[in-house]
């Protein structure tokens, strides 16, 4: 069984910073990519940042220059450093991981439960 858990959300003021963490655990053989999505009420889930095991990363235009995704492969953990936060960044943030479980032959998609980020004065 594989589990993905996010942490680090909270309430911050505009211009502030927050760091989210996501750890994958269980019978994991390999994680090929991990990333972050967010979803605000009434809106579709959107990709924010994603990083592959080789280090390649990509970002949504709305967060480029403000957010940074990083990964610790040894810990099966991905981080999202969020700086210069804006009210429009308010959303539930979800961790996503492409994982090959032990004994499996193909990549499977796993999601965390989400962590709320609220940017308000």
């Amino acid at each position: 069984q594989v589990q993905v858990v996010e942490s680090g959300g909270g309430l911050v003021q505009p211009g502030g910073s927050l760091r989210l963490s996501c750890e994958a655990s269980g019978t994991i053989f390999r994680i090929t990519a991990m990333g972050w999505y967010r979803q605000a009420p009434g809106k579709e889930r959107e990709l924010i940042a994603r990083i592959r095991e080789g280090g390649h990363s990509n970002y949504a235009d709305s967060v480029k220059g403000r957010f940074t995704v990083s990964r610790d492969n040894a810990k099966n953990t991905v981080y999202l450093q969020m700086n210069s936060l804006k009210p429009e960044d308010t959303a539930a943030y979800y961790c996503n991981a492409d994982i090959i479980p032990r004994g499996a032959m193909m990549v499977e998609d796993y999601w965390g439960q989400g962590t709320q980020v609220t940017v308000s004065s």
Side-chain angles (χ1 to χ4, degrees), residues 34-48:
M34 300 183 76
W36 292 93
Y37 292 71
R38 70 185 181 189
Q39 186 170 23
K43 297 184 178 180
E44 295 184 353
R45 199 125 106 188
E46 62 174 341
L47 172 66
I48 299 303

Side-chain angles (χ1 to χ4, degrees), residues 93-119:
Y93 284 71
Y94 296 88
C95 177
N96 173 261
D98 294 334
I99 298 173
I100 304 176
R102 289 189 178 274
M105 295 184 292
M106 298 184 67
V107 174
E108 299 179 2
D109 207 26
Y110 291 86
W111 290 90
Q113 81 288 350
T115 184
Q116 180 67 36
V117 173
T118 301
V119 184

Side-chain angles (χ1 to χ4, degrees), residues 70-113:
S70 60
R71 179 178 176 181
D72 187 336
N73 292 335
K75 297 180 179 180
N76 292 333
T77 300
V78 65
Y79 306 94
L80 184 67
Q81 179 65 47
M82 304 184 293
N83 298 325
S84 301
L85 283 163
K86 304 175 181 179
E88 50 263 43
D89 294 319
T90 297
Y93 284 71
Y94 296 88
C95 177
N96 173 261
D98 294 334
I99 298 173
I100 304 176
R102 289 189 178 274
M105 295 184 292
M106 298 184 67
V107 174
E108 299 179 2
D109 207 26
Y110 291 86
W111 290 90
Q113 81 288 350

Side-chain angles (χ1 to χ4, degrees), residues 11-22:
L11 174 64
V12 297
Q13 295 186 0
S17 298
L18 207 60
R19 191 192 191 197
L20 306 182
S21 299
C22 171

